Amino acid sequence: VRNPGDYFVTSVGGQSLIIICAEDGTLNGFHNVCMHRATRLLSGEGCSGRISCPYHGWTYDLGGRLIGAPNSRDVPGFSLSDYRLSQIQVEDVHGLIFVNLDGEAAPVREIYPDLEDEIKLYCPDLPNLVFAHRTEATLATNWKVAVENFSECYHCALVHKSFFSEDAADGVNAKTYRIDVRGPLHVHYADAHRKGGEQRREDEFAAWWLWPNFAVQSHPGCVLNVRKWTPIDVNHTQVAVDWYFAEGAFGEDERAMVEHHAATVFAEDIPLVEWVQQGLASSAYKSGPLMIDTERTGLSEHAIAGIQDLWRDAMGENWQRQSKQP
Ligand code: FES
Ligand SMILES: [Fe+2]
C-alpha cells in the first residue's frame, strides 16, 4: 500500500477490513461492507482509484465517501452525502500497519511509547522489507498458553538447543537473554552469535511483544518476523509467523534459515503448549509457582507474571466474579 489506490483486505476479530492508500499517501481503513445492502466490496489486494460495489455499483472514493449510486437521482430524498464507508483507525509504525476497530482507542504510539524508536534502532530498513514466507500452525491450546510460552526462556536450554547454538543462523547467546517488562510492552534482548566485526544494534536479537497477542522479532541484518496468535476457541489457537527480508534478498540461505526455524524453535514448542492445555484440565493440577529470580535473568518467568496482571486488568469485574464462584 505504497501508492494511491493500493489496497489489501484483511480480517481482525472476524471483521473483514480494507486498508487502502489515499490520494495524499495516508492510509485509510474501512469495514469491507457496502452501505447499501451489505455486500463485501473488495477481496485480496490490488490498486484501484475508487471502491466499486460488485452488486449494484455504488462507488466510494479512497476516503470512503459515496460518490455514485445508479438511479439515485430518481429516488426521492436520497443524498449521496448521507452514506460513507465505516472507518477504522489505522496507524503506520515504522512500516508496521496497526488497525483498531474501536474509534476511541488510544494510538499504538501512546500505548507502547518506546516501540517505534526501538524497532528503528534494530531494523532501520523495516519499511522497505517485503514479505517472504509464512510459517503457521493450529495449536490445540488456549492462546494464553501459547503467549506465555513465547514469554519465557526458562525452557530454551532444554527444548531449543539450536536457538542457543553458534551454528544456527538465528542462534543467540543464552547468557545474554533478558526480558524487559514495561506494562503492555515486553522487550526481549539477546546478543546474536557474531563472527567478529563492529558491534551494532542491527546485529543483535530483539523481540517486542505487544499485549495481548502480537510480537515482532528482529534478527541480525534486519531480518524480521511478525507473529500473531489468533484465538479460534478456548482450546485452539492459530499462530502465524510472517518473515520479511530486504527486496530480492530471500535466497537459498535465507530460505534455509526460515525452514530451520520452522523445524526447530517453532515446532519444538507445539507439543509443549498442547500438553499444558491438557494438563490444565487435570483435576490434580493447582496453580504452580512462577520461577522469578531476583536479577530477572533469561531464566526468570517474570514476564508471565506481567501477562497475568494485564489479563486480570483486562477482564476486570468479569475475572473477579468468576474467581469468587465456588
Ligand atoms: S450492496 Fe453494494 S451497491 Fe448494493
Ligand atoms: Fe519455546
Side-chain angles (χ1 to χ4, degrees):
V1 282
R2 290 173 204 271
N3 302 307
D6 285 351
Y7 69 84
F8 66 89
V9 169
T10 186
S11 90
V12 171
Q15 300 290 307
S16 182
L17 309 171
I18 300 167
I19 311 300
I20 194 161
C21 181
E23 306 286 1
D24 63 358
T26 58
L27 288 178
N28 285 330
F30 305 108
H31 282 272
N32 188 13
V33 59
C34 182
M35 291 294 126
H36 177 221
R37 282 181 38 225
T39 303
R40 177 166 291 202
L41 292 164
L42 295 174
S43 49
E45 56 183 67
C47 184
S48 173
R50 54 191 52 191
I51 300 169
S52 281
C53 179
Y55 200 172
H56 315 94
W58 280 28
T59 302
Y60 306 85
D61 69 12
L62 300 181
R65 285 168 288 268
L66 183 63
I67 52 172
N71 203 34
S72 60
R73 255 181 235 137
D74 294 330
V75 176
F78 182 89
S79 167
L80 291 176
S81 61
D82 287 343
Y83 302 92
R84 57 180 306 144
L85 296 180
S86 170
Q87 194 144 11
I88 55 163
Q89 289 202 60
V90 178
E91 212 176 336
D92 176 346
V93 177
H94 194 48
L96 298 168
I97 300 169
F98 291 88
V99 300
N100 201 319
L101 307 194
D102 175 359
E104 305 294 307
V108 167
R109 284 185 178 79
E110 205 174 299
I111 303 174
Y112 314 98
D114 313 328
L115 177 70
E116 186 171 37
D117 287 346
E118 221 175 318
I119 289 187
K120 266 186 195 163
L121 275 181
Y122 282 82
C123 192
D125 290 337
L126 171 54
N128 298 317
L129 302 187
V130 292
F131 172 76
H133 182 84
R134 167 171 286 194
T135 303
E136 62 185 331
T138 300
L139 311 172
T141 195
N142 185 272
W143 70 274
K144 298 188 291 298
V145 174
V147 164
E148 288 184 351
N149 167 263
F150 179 83
S151 299
E152 48 91 355
C153 225
Y154 189 30
H155 71 283
C156 292
L158 183 62
V159 178
H160 304 310
K161 302 255 184 317
S162 73
F163 186 50
F164 289 152
S165 149
E166 288 207 31
D167 300 327
D170 60 347
V172 303
N173 181 341
K175 290 194 182 68
T176 61
Y177 205 96
R178 64 183 207 280
I179 306 176
D180 254 19
V181 171
R182 300 178 213 149
L185 174 67
H186 294 184
V187 193
H188 301 220
Y189 302 98
D191 292 352
H193 292 300
R194 267 172 287 102
K195 314 274 183 278
E198 57 173 328
Q199 207 162 337
R200 304 180 309 165
R201 292 281 185 99
E202 293 153 62
D203 298 325
E204 306 298 356
F205 168 89
W208 298 266
W209 173 83
L210 278 60
W211 162 258
N213 63 339
F214 179 81
V216 185
Q217 194 160 300
S218 180
H219 294 273
C222 205
V223 169
L224 192 114
N225 67 56
V226 165
R227 187 177 311 239
K228 219 164 67 175
W229 296 268
T230 306
I232 298 169
D233 61 31
V234 69
N235 291 311
H236 295 91
T237 302
Q238 164 77 13
V239 59
V241 181
D242 287 343
W243 287 88
Y244 294 83
F245 288 81
E247 197 143 18
F250 191 58
E252 248 174 65
D253 289 354
E254 290 73 19
R255 181 170 291 280
M257 171 186 174
V258 163
E259 283 171 2
H260 171 80
H261 174 268
T264 56
V265 178
F266 184 83
E268 286 156 357
D269 280 329
I270 294 176
L272 297 167
V273 297
E274 296 188 339
W275 293 334
V276 168
Q277 186 69 13
Q278 292 163 22
L280 291 172
S282 162
S283 58
Y285 181 72
K286 307 277 177 277
S287 179
L290 290 174
M291 303 295 280
I292 300 174
D293 62 37
T294 44
E295 299 285 313
R296 304 290 188 267
T297 67
L299 295 176
S300 173
E301 295 183 303
H302 55 287
I304 295 188
I307 291 168
Q308 294 180 353
D309 286 344
L310 289 162
W311 184 82
R312 279 187 209 100
D313 280 356
M315 294 299 283
E317 286 173 12
N318 292 324
W319 155 248
Q320 282 158 21
R321 233 194 335 269
Q322 283 234 333
S323 61
K324 277 188 194 124
Q325 278 169 8

